[in-house]
Amino acid sequence: FTAVYTDMLSVKLKVLFFEFTLVPFEKKPKKKRKKKVPKKKKEKTDTKTKKEKKPSLVKKLSDKKGVDGLFSMLAEIVKLASTTLKGLFTSIVIERFDLSLTVVGEDAADTALKYGKLCGVVYPAVSVICSTAKCEDYNVNVTPDFDDEAKMRTSAHAQFYIRVYHIFRYGLKAAI
């Protein structure tokens, strides 16, 4: 897997020489067929309330942008790594993990407070992820920027793999 986050989340899966894009979702337009519906049935369907589909966790996380989106992704990964999927996470090998955040505030004091809060969240989250999974190389860089015209920037790049055997093993275990 290769996951890249700058403004949007992008996840690619590579198996042998085949490459699949998992996120962002690419929706194909559906062809609509016109059906002839008798008037009596049509009135009944109008009165029924349609069930709204809840968006999946991946869709929710990929919709969020910026620092908030990155934090929500890290929080969900830490939650999964420490509870439900801990066995699966111990089988993941992270080849490369780079995280870079630039913190900007309204003034120097605001920037310093935001920097402290970010460091208090980011470093423990990365520590949990890298201690649960086998992490070969990771870099985390949180820097304050005191320039008046600077903007908050986030970027993350992760390259990791898991053997298919482990996916089947934990999938079967979860099914049982």
Side-chain angles (χ1 to χ4, degrees), residues 38-104:
K39 291 181 182 180
K40 293 178 183 178
K41 289 184 180 179
K42 192 174 183 180
E43 291 173 6
K44 290 180 182 179
T45 57
D46 290 339
T47 58
K48 292 181 181 178
T49 58
K50 295 182 179 179
K51 293 181 181 178
E52 294 182 18
K53 291 184 179 179
K54 293 183 181 179
S56 67
L57 177 65
V58 176
K59 181 68 176 161
K60 285 180 189 177
L61 293 177
S62 66
D63 287 344
K64 293 183 180 180
K65 295 184 177 171
V67 176
D68 293 334
L70 186 64
F71 283 146
S72 60
M73 276 188 259
L74 280 175
E76 287 299 321
I77 291 170
V78 167
K79 197 182 306 178
L80 289 173
S82 61
T83 58
T84 313
L85 300 175
K86 187 172 185 175
L88 186 64
F89 265 82
T90 57
S91 304
I92 294 175
V93 177
I94 301 173
E95 290 179 334
R96 190 175 114 195
F97 180 73
D98 295 320
L99 177 64
S100 176
L101 297 168
T102 303
V103 183
V104 177

Side-chain angles (χ1 to χ4, degrees), residues 1 4 9 65 86 99 108-109 140 154 156 169 174:
F1 291 93
V4 177
L9 178 65
K65 295 184 177 171
K86 187 172 185 175
L99 177 64
V140 179
T154 60
R169 182 175 134 201

Side-chain angles (χ1 to χ4, degrees), residues 1-3 10-26:
F1 291 93
T2 301
S10 170
V11 179
K12 292 183 180 180
L13 168 67
K14 187 174 182 182
V15 179
L16 297 176
F17 50 87
F18 298 108
E19 191 170 297
F20 306 99
T21 302
L22 302 176
V23 177
F25 299 108
E26 295 177 10

Side-chain angles (χ1 to χ4, degrees), residues 111-149:
T111 302
L113 289 174
K114 285 183 180 180
Y115 174 74
K117 288 179 184 177
L118 281 175
C119 287
V121 172
V122 170
Y123 286 110
V126 171
S127 174
V128 167
I129 292 169
C130 288
S131 66
T132 305
K134 296 172 186 132
C135 196
E136 294 176 358
D137 180 31
Y138 70 96
N139 297 312
V140 179
N141 187 15
V142 180
T143 56
D145 193 350
F146 297 102
D147 190 18
D148 292 338
E149 298 171 3

